[in-house]
Amino acid sequence: MPATSRPQSAPALSHRERQVLAHIAEGLSHKQVARRLGISVHTVSTYLRRIRTKRTAPTVAHLVHLSHTENAAASAPTGPRPAP
């Protein structure tokens, strides 16, 4: 299994968790993420804790990497490739 794919048994991230993750990956602080999403800083921390529980991401660098791999997986085509 490639290092960038998540195991089939890993729970999916919620829409809000993906939003928080994307903002953190952009380099925003918890306070900036909270303002943009209209939630408290504590709630941002809660979403990040849930993400870390669902995935192995102990550091911000891991979260950024996770964000990129989640986005790549979401944008990857799922159906058969068209003929050239």
Side-chain angles (χ1 to χ4, degrees):
M1 171 177 19
T4 57
S5 67
R6 69 181 165 104
Q8 294 295 342
S9 61
L13 298 180
S14 72
H15 176 69
R16 199 58 143 182
E17 288 167 343
R18 287 191 309 272
Q19 285 180 317
V20 168
L21 182 60
H23 287 309
I24 292 296
E26 290 174 6
L28 298 181
S29 69
H30 290 201
K31 188 174 183 177
Q32 291 169 319
V33 174
R35 271 199 213 126
R36 287 207 181 170
L37 297 178
I39 58 179
S40 74
V41 174
H42 177 76
T43 303
V44 170
S45 296
T46 298
Y47 282 126
L48 291 172
R49 183 174 31 83
R50 289 179 185 173
I51 292 166
R52 286 182 166 123
T53 299
K54 291 179 180 182
R55 305 286 192 277
T56 304
T59 67
V60 174
H62 286 100
L63 289 171
V64 170
H65 177 72
L66 174 62
S67 175
H68 292 296
T69 57
E70 291 279 328
N71 287 339
S75 62
T78 56
R81 292 184 175 173

